[in-house]
Amino acid sequence: MTNHVYIDLVGSDGEMLHHSETTNVVTTVGKKFVLAQLNATGSSKIKWIRYGTGSTAPAVGDIGLTATQSQAGTGRTVLGAPTIDSTYGKTTFVHTCSTTSSWDGATFSEAGLYYATGTDNTTAMYAHCTFSTVVKESDQKLIMTWVLTWNP
Amino acid sequence: MVEDSSGIRGDAQITIVSKDDGRTMSEQHYHNLVVNNGKNFLANRLTNQATTYDTCSFYNIMLSRRNTAVAVTDSFATYTTSQTTSTMICSNYLTNSDTQVVSSASFDGNGLNDNATGKNADTVWNSICLLTKAAVPVLFSAVSVSDPSAWTTNDYLIVRWTVSYS
């Protein structure tokens, strides 16, 4: 699976204040999770996101973010239902840190996708990415778009 | 934009073994065989908030008379328009050390009766499919056999399908 991440910071007037893109690293435990789903039934899903402030390059052996962003709470944030391109299985998650929210003033430079319940950082991280540091103010919203594409 | 080369892939090993003395009569390998429906199945299995695929996993290896090269747009229906037979997967596991699922099944050449023609093995079975269990089975991967005439009623056909994520 090739995953591509888009990070957009949008001002109150709709102006794009920041845009960056990056790929991520799928962790070893993440790959095992994917294949285990083919091998047995179960209800585990990729459906949580966590942000962080670390800048260490992601590696396949990662089990959590380098430095978690806890401004909006220490737990993970539940993602909404993704959109799935039913022909190719391309899956898109979008998460928005809204204006005037608990994310105001927060710094972001890394993120992870998770596939199992739990509140700690080091349980079930499927993918990890880092990106240019973004600070979200109260009149701005941060939009994180994570596209999962099967390859080859 | 930098894309990595990681991905899901299916590799099939098809071996024909003589019933008489256990000799390997032929062995064929096929690579990168995951069709679009397989990718879509996996995407839903892993991410859908609904439970459509929660009880689904690899379930069958199926033989088909279809003799056309496999395309990524193929589906279960593509292979069931021909006479088919299938068997439950004999083993199905995730290795402890790494990231692959191995599924295997064996077929007795003498038991591969084709209802349409009355023939057994030989030139009848031209394609092999890896299916997931669902109300309508989902085609995950398929191979078109290059030398089906090697199959006889005196042989066992053994299929070993490895799906990996690298």
Side-chain angles (χ1 to χ4, degrees):
Chain A
M1 185 186 281
T2 299
N3 303 325
H4 204 72
V5 187
Y6 303 83
I7 303 98
D8 297 325
L9 185 67
V10 181
S12 57
D13 58 357
E15 180 185 5
M16 183 73 76
L17 303 173
H18 169 96
H19 172 81
S20 61
E21 302 179 21
T22 185
T23 53
N24 63 206
V25 168
V26 178
T27 64
T28 297
V29 293
K31 292 175 180 177
K32 293 188 73 168
F33 156 71
V34 170
L35 292 174
Q37 299 304 298
L38 295 173
N39 194 36
T41 59
S43 57
S44 294
K45 307 289 183 187
I46 298 171
K47 60 179 180 180
W48 290 272
I49 190 170
R50 183 193 291 275
Y51 295 103
T53 58
S55 59
T56 303
V60 295
D62 289 351
I63 58 172
L65 300 184
T66 304
T68 58
Q69 164 59 265
S70 58
Q71 180 158 329
T74 57
R76 300 165 187 170
T77 300
V78 177
L79 292 162
T83 57
I84 297 178
D85 179 332
S86 60
T87 301
Y88 303 106
K90 186 172 77 173
T91 305
T92 303
F93 287 105
V94 178
H95 180 253
T96 301
C97 299
S98 304
T99 56
T100 315
S101 67
S102 53
W103 297 104
D104 294 349
T107 299
F108 304 83
S109 60
E110 63 175 331
L113 285 182
Y114 294 77
Y115 60 83
T117 56
T119 57
D120 62 294
N121 175 39
T122 58
T123 297
M125 183 173 71
Y126 167 74
H128 183 197
C129 72
T130 56
F131 47 88
S132 301
T133 299
V134 175
V135 178
K136 190 200 92 64
E137 304 300 343
S138 61
D139 63 343
Q140 301 165 350
K141 59 182 177 182
L142 179 75
I143 304 171
M144 193 80 171
T145 306
W146 212 311
V147 182
L148 286 57
T149 306
W150 295 109
N151 182 49
Chain B
M1 182 193 309
V2 178
E3 298 284 4
D4 67 40
S5 60
S6 65
I8 193 90
R9 54 181 282 162
D11 297 326
Q13 173 184 310
I14 299 171
T15 308
I16 296 172
V17 178
S18 168
K19 292 180 183 177
D20 293 334
D21 54 11
R23 278 190 304 143
T24 297
M25 308 302 288
S26 71
E27 185 171 292
Q28 301 172 18
H29 296 262
Y30 301 86
H31 306 288
N32 286 334
L33 304 164
V34 180
V35 299
N36 290 340
N37 275 6
K39 297 174 182 179
N40 185 47
F41 164 80
L42 199 47
N44 278 279
R45 182 80 170 82
L46 298 175
T47 62
N48 200 348
Q49 308 296 298
T51 58
T52 309
Y53 290 97
D54 279 358
T55 57
C56 302
S57 60
F58 286 159
Y59 194 70
N60 277 78
I61 289 176
M62 180 181 77
L63 307 181
S64 170
R65 289 170 58 200
R66 180 178 171 79
N67 59 1
T68 304
V70 176
V72 293
T73 52
D74 287 352
S75 67
F76 176 64
T78 304
Y79 291 87
T80 52
T81 52
S82 304
Q83 183 65 41
T84 61
T85 188
S86 64
T87 187
M88 294 285 289
I89 292 170
C90 296
S91 63
N92 193 353
Y93 58 89
L94 180 69
T95 62
N96 291 326
S97 60
D98 211 333
T99 50
Q100 59 181 211
V101 175
V102 181
S103 304
S104 64
S106 62
F107 298 84
D108 184 334
N110 196 42
L112 299 177
N113 291 311
D114 177 358
N115 293 335
T117 65
K119 292 181 179 179
N120 286 328
D122 300 333
T123 59
V124 175
W125 312 102
N126 301 293
S127 303
I128 303 175
C129 305
L130 178 61
L131 306 174
T132 67
K133 185 179 183 180
V136 176
V138 175
L139 177 69
F140 189 86
S141 185
V143 298
S144 180
V145 179
S146 59
D147 185 19
S149 63
W151 308 14
T152 77
T153 56
N154 292 322
D155 301 322
Y156 291 113
L157 173 73
I158 300 170
V159 182
R160 187 175 189 271
W161 222 306
T162 302
V163 176
S164 58
Y165 189 172
S166 59

